[in-house]
Amino acid sequence: MSQSDEDLIRELEYRFNAAWNRHDPEGLAEALTDDAHFITVNAAWTTCRQGPHDLMQRLQADRARTKSPEMHVHFLTPDIG
């Protein structure tokens, strides 16, 4: 994969985290596809764009903030992107 592919993935992570920290469920959902699989650190698993939106509304009742640790991007094969 190219550097631009990796940059796009990093941009998605940035947008997702920025939306989380703004407590913006709509912004969070924008970073995901309609068939996204989203798994939290507590193993809550959703399989659509609306799932993380709803999950965020429940989890952010306490106004949590997050910062991702350093990200490493590894492509399984060149045709997966």
Side-chain angles (χ1 to χ4, degrees):
M1 291 290 143
S2 70
Q3 184 64 39
S4 63
D5 290 332
E6 186 172 331
D7 291 342
L8 288 170
I9 291 169
R10 290 180 186 282
E11 176 62 23
L12 282 173
E13 180 198 17
Y14 171 80
R15 287 176 31 208
F16 183 91
N17 287 339
W20 179 271
N21 289 332
R22 284 191 317 269
H23 307 282
D24 175 9
E26 286 75 25
L28 180 91
E30 285 178 9
L32 303 171
T33 62
D34 289 334
D35 62 347
H37 285 244
F38 181 79
I39 305 171
T40 70
V41 296
N42 296 323
W45 184 359
T46 65
T47 58
C48 64
R49 180 178 284 180
Q50 187 64 36
H53 175 280
D54 296 344
L55 180 63
M56 180 184 183
Q57 288 185 315
R58 288 194 313 272
L59 293 176
Q60 292 224 325
D62 66 355
R63 307 293 285 177
R65 297 206 179 264
T66 187
K67 181 179 180 197
S68 293
E70 181 179 341
M71 177 195 274
H72 300 278
V73 177
H74 301 280
F75 293 96
L76 299 176
T77 64
D79 61 330
I80 297 176

